[in-house]
Amino acid sequence: MAQNMTAAELKEKLCYKKTNFYDNATDAEIDAVYDYSNGYSKFLDDAKTEREAVKTAIAMAEAQGYVPYTVGMQLKVGGKYYYNNRARYLILFRIGSEPVENGVRIIASHIDNPRLDVKQVPLYEDNGFAFLKTHYYGGVRKYQWVATPLSLHGVVSLKDGSVVDVIIGEDEGDPVLYINDLLPHLAQEQSKKPLGSAIPAESLNLLIGSRPYPDAESEAIKLNVLNILNEKYGITEEDFLSADLYATPAAKARDVGLDRSLIGAYGHDDRVCAYPSLTALFETDDSEHTAIIILADKEETGSDGNTGMQSAVFTDILSEITAWAGANLTATKANSKCFSSDVTACYDPNFPEVFDAKNSAKINCGVAMSKYTGHGGKGGTSEASAEFVAWVRRILAEDGVIWQTADLGKADVGGGGTVAKFIAKHNIDVVDIGVPVISMHAPCEVISKADIWCAHRAFVAFLRK
Ligand code: MN
Ligand code: MN
């Protein structure tokens, strides 16, 4: 056995270790990270719901020369287009000079997030209060939504076809909504209940008023609330029947930590991947590849529906592109590559029991790749092949992108899924790659500014290489 290297040299040559972004970063790189995060925080504040994310992304894209695509439209090399699917799902694409049949580069993320939806017949009065009943959407931990200021976002669609935009509780000085919680003095029984059942869904009622309309004989508080809504939005109680209204946390994105290295906000999952997919697209006009950016809805409830990733709209648009290019759709799909860009769990030293420390994503160690997701024995995952992961390793290494691997948690503890499998089923190579999140799905989640910057750089490499 030759021993011509020192142990340190041999370790450097043979052993894998994660890299912390700050270990080798220059001051200029750190400045770039903090600058980049300002744009992201603004995006978070402007885009709390999937509808707002679509609007905000379109405004960003139009500023970069993207134009609306209508089915059948003549395309051109270098052309930049977006397709707005029902105001809740956006596809952006840029036609490259390379033949489409060589494959396209796809980055898919989602723009819906856990929240409380207002029911169709929501408004009622009870013992001096008026409330709106809600139905939770996605993986909500109900106990986190009580006793905290909430805002209301969405649209009310009227019988005449007009649509009224609603945002209450975001402007300084706006009133907010609220969900009551029990005082500890009377919570002895509630406190003994498991966390998941201590706050039942039907108690998640939004407090919306307490002052009666003068001289009303009954339901005077409800009437007063309806009067305010009618004066402000021109709606009646019946109009709740055709509304998409969501309660979200009323807070804006804030820097976390005295070093301002982290961002606390609602909806990092999955804006923290959607935003860098947009910035990477805008930075790679020089790429020869055709790029497709997908901002999908309904991921948090299984990617169903015509605005979810399982909708045919993605392959419909791809087939429109191949038809224009005279390319074979089957070959195009087989040669395409996709980043399913969704968040993963960040290792949390406060809860070490649920993580496999060696295989978890660590804070500030870069964008995180999950070769597979799923439950138990890899149930419900598309798992990327060794070959495709090796290709991704190569392109990220060429650009010096800091990245790491991520297993959500210990195999028997739980699991999760992303849109990856709904892309893989079209015979497209796909791997999950996204930003690690602390307190995922909480009203205020936390991410690292360095990690989202690394996601941006990884997506640039992917769209260009
Ligand atoms: Mn997600
Ligand atoms: Mn999620």
Side-chain angles (χ1 to χ4, degrees):
M1 185 177 72
Q3 290 186 328
N4 51 6
M5 292 175 101
T6 66
E9 287 167 343
L10 201 58
K11 213 173 172 183
E12 179 67 28
K13 183 182 170 190
L14 298 182
C15 296
Y16 167 73
K17 70 169 178 30
K18 272 190 211 279
T19 309
N20 186 299
F21 176 84
Y22 290 102
D23 284 349
N24 301 311
T26 63
D27 287 349
E29 281 173 317
I30 294 170
D31 285 348
V33 164
Y34 278 62
D35 279 351
Y36 181 82
S37 77
N38 292 332
Y40 174 54
S41 288
K42 180 168 187 329
F43 181 79
L44 284 167
D45 293 342
D46 290 345
K48 279 195 170 175
T49 68
E50 69 279 353
R51 285 177 187 272
E52 291 170 9
V54 164
K55 268 190 194 169
T56 307
I58 287 175
M60 290 167 68
E62 286 183 340
Q64 299 287 330
Y66 281 73
V67 297
Y69 172 74
T70 49
V71 174
M73 183 173 155
Q74 200 57 29
L75 304 174
K76 65 173 197 282
V77 170
K80 303 191 276 192
Y81 310 91
Y82 65 83
Y83 183 75
N84 179 350
N85 182 23
R86 297 175 166 82
R88 282 164 284 155
Y89 175 132
L90 189 68
I91 296 181
L92 304 103
F93 59 100
R94 182 184 59 220
I95 305 293
S97 55
E98 183 190 44
V100 168
E101 202 162 300
N102 289 3
V104 300
R105 298 291 162 83
I106 304 152
I107 304 178
S109 61
H110 67 91
I111 47 174
D112 62 319
N113 29 328
R115 62 186 189 235
L116 305 178
D117 291 353
V118 172
K119 290 192 183 192
Q120 282 188 282
V121 185
L123 185 61
Y124 69 101
E125 179 175 329
D126 192 355
N127 282 286
F129 298 106
F131 297 100
L132 292 176
K133 291 201 68 65
T134 69
H135 193 133
Y136 63 98
Y137 172 95
V140 164
R141 306 194 76 194
K142 301 183 200 82
Y143 76 91
Q144 296 175 334
W145 289 74
V146 297
T148 189
L150 298 170
S151 53
L152 197 67
H153 292 244
V155 297
V156 181
S157 190
L158 307 181
K159 262 193 295 199
D160 67 5
S162 61
V163 175
V164 180
D165 285 310
V166 173
I167 300 184
I168 299 171
E170 292 296 343
D171 284 340
E172 207 69 33
D174 255 13
V176 295
L177 306 183
Y178 183 85
I179 295 172
N180 304 355
D181 195 8
L182 211 44
L183 60 168
H185 318 66
L186 298 177
Q188 287 176 33
E189 285 308 310
Q190 186 204 42
S191 298
K192 289 179 199 157
K193 290 181 183 170
L195 213 50
S197 56
I199 305 287
E202 299 305 332
S203 72
L204 295 175
N205 301 313
L206 298 163
L207 178 54
I208 194 168
S210 72
R211 181 167 140 189
Y213 190 82
D215 302 325
E217 277 173 23
S218 65
E219 298 196 304
I221 300 164
K222 173 180 164 178
L223 188 64
N224 198 44
V225 167
L226 282 172
N227 188 43
I228 293 167
L229 287 170
N230 186 257
E231 282 178 353
K232 187 161 183 196
Y233 297 108
I235 60 174
T236 67
E237 185 176 13
E238 192 182 338
D239 294 323
F240 280 113
L241 298 177
S242 51
D244 290 340
L245 289 171
Y246 319 143
T248 75
K252 296 204 184 308
R254 300 289 295 267
D255 285 352
V256 172
L258 300 188
D259 53 14
R260 297 181 174 269
S261 59
L262 309 163
I263 300 173
Y266 168 68
H268 283 309
D269 175 10
D270 188 28
R271 281 151 186 69
V272 74
C273 298
Y275 182 77
S277 77
L278 293 171
T279 56
L281 178 72
F282 302 152
E283 195 174 309
T284 52
D285 278 349
D286 56 338
S287 174
E288 65 187 7
H289 306 301
T290 292
I292 301 180
I293 303 298
I294 299 169
L295 308 180
D297 178 28
K298 296 281 182 284
E299 192 278 341
E300 297 294 356
T301 54
S303 297
D304 299 295
N306 56 14
T307 57
M309 193 63 234
Q310 298 195 67
S311 158
V313 65
F314 158 58
T315 43
D316 285 351
I317 294 295
L318 186 59
S319 70
E320 290 296 316
I321 296 171
T322 54
W324 161 79
N328 181 294
L329 177 62
T330 304
T332 302
K333 288 193 291 187
N335 293 329
S336 290
K337 295 179 170 68
C338 176
F339 274 3
S340 161
S341 55
D342 204 347
V343 299
T344 188
C346 183
Y347 181 86
D348 187 337
N350 293 298
F351 303 99
E353 64 279 7
V354 300
F355 295 101
D356 166 11
K358 283 190 79 62
N359 285 287
S360 293
K362 298 281 176 61
I363 198 81
N364 292 329
C365 289
V367 65
M369 183 206 287
S370 300
K371 189 169 178 290
Y372 53 86
T373 60
H375 297 259
K378 299 191 177 179
T381 181
S382 54
E383 184 152 10
S385 69
E387 293 89 338
F388 185 50
V389 172
W391 180 84
V392 177
R393 280 176 64 193
R394 186 162 71 245
I395 62 155
L396 297 185
E398 280 171 9
D399 272 14
V401 178
I402 308 283
W403 71 281
Q404 57 183 325
T405 59
D407 216 345
L408 190 75
K410 283 182 177 164
D412 279 340
V413 168
T418 66
V419 299
K421 63 180 177 180
F422 305 120
I423 293 158
K425 76 176 187 180
H426 298 296
N427 192 30
I428 293 171
D429 270 322
V430 55
V431 70
D432 278 294
I433 182 161
V435 175
V437 174
I438 291 282
S439 307
M440 195 192 298
H441 286 198
C444 183
E445 306 169 310
V446 169
I447 61 98
S448 140
K449 292 181 178 179
D451 293 339
I452 184 179
W453 170 248
C454 295
H456 165 78
R457 294 206 54 222
F459 298 169
V460 166
F462 175 68
L463 293 179
R464 194 178 270 153
K465 296 281 175 185

